[in-house]
Amino acid sequence: MTPVPMQEGYLFEQECLSPFPTRPWRAVHTMHVSGPYRNRASVVGVTIVDPSLRRIRATMISVEGIVLLDAVRQRGETTIHRALAPLDSPAIVKGLFEDVGLMFLAPDSDPDRIGRSEDGDLVCRFEGDRRGATDVVLPREGTWRILRYGKNQSLEARIEAHGTTRHALSERMELEVYGRGGYTIVLNLLEVEFLTDTESFSVRI
Amino acid sequence: MNSLRLILVLALLASAAFPSAVLCGDWGSDWEALRQSLSLVKSIRTDFVQQKNLKVLSRPIISRGRFFYRAPGDIRWEYETPIRSVVLLHKGEVHRYTRHDGGEYDEDKGPGVEAVRLVLAEMTHWFTGHFEAGDTFVPTLMPGSPSKIILSPRKQGLQGFIQRIELTLSPRPGVLRSVEIVESQDASTLIEFQNPEINPALSDRLFERFE
């Protein structure tokens, strides 16, 4: 990564965060999960995010309309309203929120480094997380990416985001988590809307 | 797991369309009239529209599909949108297939499948009108205009996951207008049946594999 000139860095800081809406929003996706041994599952996901509170409410619904999971996470604290096996596992819920947070919440710090890749993509590196680093990669046009590295600098997860709606949410996102027990999640956006303050409060996100 | 069973029973039950049959009088007036109507049904084909209502949503999530039943125990419950999925019950075996991310169908062993397996088997009692034969719900018939069948969980533990199911009967004998699964005050699923066909010829192929 070739660093951008220091005097230009601040100009790119906002661009680094451009994939992440700053207002509360609600979205409905189809979610297709592929795990080890060709284990696959498809559900409908409702995600409500309040970026200012770093609060996420995730509701997963089976094809048949059964609420499989309804939970809220805010700054490390999780409240489960409803969970059916196997989603009643705290470890699974924690992992789910980490994935959702990686996709939809901006890193909780300013970028530590900003530069350009060999391809000319803008790369914003965030190193404030003690677990590792996160790169937000923004090409001049097309798919943008999030790369999550562990403390040993190994690539732990990769997100590719395609297409952007007028609400600045991607139409399609693909998450791939590496390592033993790795899996992929593909989200296809069905609908999205920003929430008013009244709606945000009323849904208790 | 029991709770999961019950919930899936309800969900699958909700998607069942009851057949039409010739019956004099109000077929929803009593259990015997109900059973008489249903006993004449050997097969069903119907479209359905499913509305998932959640307090956190400003409008319901809409799903569409088709449902097939063939006596004594074949079921094909097929979703077309927003996720293509097919659940098959045939010769006592249950399989769910989902079209994964627009690709090929693949057997879906995700959350709820095990309960689906148990639920479909119980659901076959209902097509004959023998609601009391199942061990999951207590049925209550409420004659009226329209008549309704209210299914309440037998076990208190289940009530934390599902409060009740309401089956609304059509004035047309043997036809179910809708099924509503009430999970809580914040969540419910309403399935409305459209264009039901009673006793159509249904091939083995429909239940043996998905297409």
Side-chain angles (χ1 to χ4, degrees):
Chain A
M1 174 167 65
T2 303
V4 298
M6 202 188 289
Q7 64 271 25
E8 295 179 9
Y10 80 97
L11 294 174
F12 291 104
E13 282 185 11
Q14 286 306 308
E15 190 170 344
C16 290
L17 302 178
S18 62
F20 308 100
T22 56
R23 295 164 53 192
W25 54 266
R26 168 177 50 216
V28 181
H29 295 87
T30 60
M31 297 175 58
H32 302 279
V33 184
S34 296
Y37 314 110
R38 287 184 62 85
N39 285 329
R40 292 182 171 185
S42 295
V43 298
V44 174
V46 179
T47 310
I48 304 174
V49 176
D50 187 334
S52 64
L53 299 176
R54 298 192 70 80
R55 187 179 172 103
I56 299 171
R57 181 166 189 166
T59 306
M60 292 174 62
I61 307 158
S62 76
V63 174
E64 298 84 10
I66 303 161
V67 176
L68 301 170
L69 175 70
D70 182 17
V72 177
R73 187 168 175 91
Q74 181 174 355
R75 298 198 182 276
E77 296 288 325
T78 301
T79 302
I80 297 177
H81 298 300
R82 174 185 171 120
L84 300 184
L87 297 176
D88 56 351
S89 158
I92 289 179
V93 175
K94 180 171 180 284
L96 171 72
F97 275 111
E98 285 177 354
D99 293 342
V100 175
L102 187 62
M103 283 189 273
F104 297 122
L105 286 178
D108 195 14
S109 63
D110 294 328
D112 294 276
R113 285 192 282 162
I114 302 175
R116 294 246 178 234
S117 69
E118 291 180 358
D119 297 327
D121 299 338
L122 183 69
V123 180
C124 312
R125 171 153 293 182
F126 299 81
E127 295 174 334
D129 186 340
R130 62 188 175 186
R131 296 179 304 148
T134 301
D135 283 350
V136 178
V137 182
L138 302 165
R140 295 187 191 280
E141 55 183 54
T143 302
W144 60 271
R145 301 187 295 280
I146 298 173
L147 305 173
R148 173 78 190 161
Y149 298 93
K151 288 174 86 170
N152 60 359
Q153 301 182 347
S154 63
L155 183 62
E156 292 185 336
R158 176 190 180 98
I159 294 169
E160 293 210 353
H162 308 263
T164 306
T165 66
R166 64 184 179 88
H167 293 87
L169 212 62
S170 297
E171 292 177 343
R172 178 183 171 87
M173 299 183 79
E174 300 166 8
L175 163 71
E176 187 167 2
V177 175
Y178 301 104
R180 197 172 69 175
Y183 54 89
T184 62
I185 301 177
V186 176
L187 273 68
N188 293 303
L189 185 66
L190 296 178
E191 59 180 77
V192 61
E193 56 188 339
F194 286 122
L195 300 182
T196 63
D197 290 342
T198 304
E199 285 176 306
S200 298
F201 179 79
S202 70
V203 299
R204 292 179 288 120
I205 62 171
Chain B
M1 176 59 78
N2 282 340
S3 298
L4 185 57
R5 276 182 68 173
L6 291 174
I7 291 171
L8 286 183
V9 173
L10 294 176
L12 290 175
L13 175 67
S15 74
F18 291 90
S20 67
V22 175
L23 181 71
C24 296
D26 180 3
W27 74 289
S29 59
D30 56 67
W31 288 116
E32 187 55 34
L34 196 68
R35 278 191 278 272
Q36 284 186 20
S37 289
L38 296 174
S39 67
L40 296 177
V41 175
K42 304 305 177 188
S43 63
I44 303 163
R45 174 170 49 216
T46 183
D47 300 326
F48 68 85
V49 177
Q50 176 177 296
Q51 296 182 36
K52 182 63 193 179
N53 298 288
L54 293 171
K55 185 178 178 181
V56 296
L57 291 172
S58 59
R59 52 185 170 271
I61 297 171
I62 304 297
S63 304
R64 298 178 190 277
R66 297 185 299 171
F67 182 90
F68 304 82
Y69 164 76
R70 186 177 67 178
D74 288 338
I75 291 173
R76 179 185 177 106
W77 188 13
E78 185 176 324
Y79 281 83
E80 294 169 353
T81 63
I83 295 173
R84 297 191 79 97
S85 168
V86 177
V87 175
L88 298 174
L89 168 63
H90 183 59
K91 295 182 178 178
E93 289 193 9
V94 175
H95 298 275
R96 180 166 80 185
Y97 302 92
T98 302
R99 193 176 181 195
H100 191 79
D101 191 28
E104 295 182 351
Y105 278 88
D106 211 348
E107 185 153 7
D108 186 336
K109 298 177 181 178
V113 171
E114 197 54 44
V116 170
R117 195 167 278 128
L118 298 170
V119 167
L120 281 179
E122 184 155 342
M123 199 168 96
T124 54
H125 294 303
W126 305 51
F127 287 103
T128 61
H130 293 288
F131 298 91
E132 74 287 351
D135 60 1
T136 307
F137 301 102
V138 176
T140 303
L141 180 61
M142 298 177 63
S145 183
S147 294
K148 291 190 176 190
I149 300 169
I150 309 298
L151 304 168
S152 305
R154 290 185 187 273
K155 296 177 182 175
Q156 194 163 0
L158 181 62
Q159 292 172 358
F161 293 92
I162 181 81
Q163 290 184 354
R164 67 185 184 280
I165 295 180
E166 293 188 15
L167 312 179
T168 301
L169 309 185
S170 167
R172 179 182 167 195
V175 175
L176 194 66
R177 178 191 296 177
S178 68
V179 177
E180 184 172 20
I181 305 166
V182 180
E183 293 168 280
S184 70
Q185 62 182 6
D186 296 338
S188 65
T189 305
L190 175 64
I191 300 181
E192 295 177 306
F193 304 105
Q194 300 172 341
N195 311 313
E197 297 175 54
I198 306 306
N199 293 331
L202 299 179
S203 67
D204 289 345
R205 206 157 146 252
L206 261 182
F207 304 101
E208 291 173 350
R209 64 175 184 266
F210 59 91
E211 317 187 76

